[in-house]
Amino acid sequence: ILDDLLELLASGGVEVRREALGGGGGLCQVKDSKIFFVDSQSSFGEMASEAAKAVAEVSPAVVGINVISVERYRIRSRDPFWDLFFPL
């Protein structure tokens, strides 16, 4: 799902960079550009959480359109991570 979130960011005009940051990452604004830093040293859950927050900030309409497909994925995966975003 992380790749899907990063794809949504890129489709919203955000440059996505993978860097070893030692803990951190997230969305930042540099002049007229938005850049999302994926910290390759963070856990998958931390990276996905930061990416989900960035997608919600950058592309709220895209988030609304894709909520149904994410919900279907959550049901199939039974991963407790998704309960943070889609409680039953």
Side-chain angles (χ1 to χ4, degrees):
I1 193 72
L2 176 61
D3 289 334
D4 294 331
L5 291 167
L6 296 177
E7 186 177 317
L8 286 172
L9 285 170
S11 71
V14 176
E15 179 183 347
V16 177
R17 294 186 189 176
R18 292 182 184 262
E19 304 283 340
L21 301 170
L27 186 65
C28 70
Q29 179 97 23
V30 178
K31 294 188 180 182
D32 295 332
S33 302
K34 291 191 179 194
I35 302 171
F36 182 78
F37 289 95
V38 180
D39 183 1
S40 59
Q41 295 177 327
S42 291
S43 71
F44 175 82
E46 291 170 331
M47 289 186 285
S49 177
E50 288 300 318
K53 290 177 198 172
V55 169
E57 182 178 328
V58 172
S59 305
V62 172
V63 172
I65 292 168
N66 288 287
V67 163
I68 293 171
S69 61
V70 171
E71 174 65 9
R72 288 179 188 148
Y73 177 84
R74 184 197 68 80
I75 290 168
R76 286 194 315 263
S77 73
R78 294 190 174 96
D79 185 339
F81 168 79
W82 294 108
D83 293 338
L84 298 171
F85 301 100
F86 297 97
L88 294 176

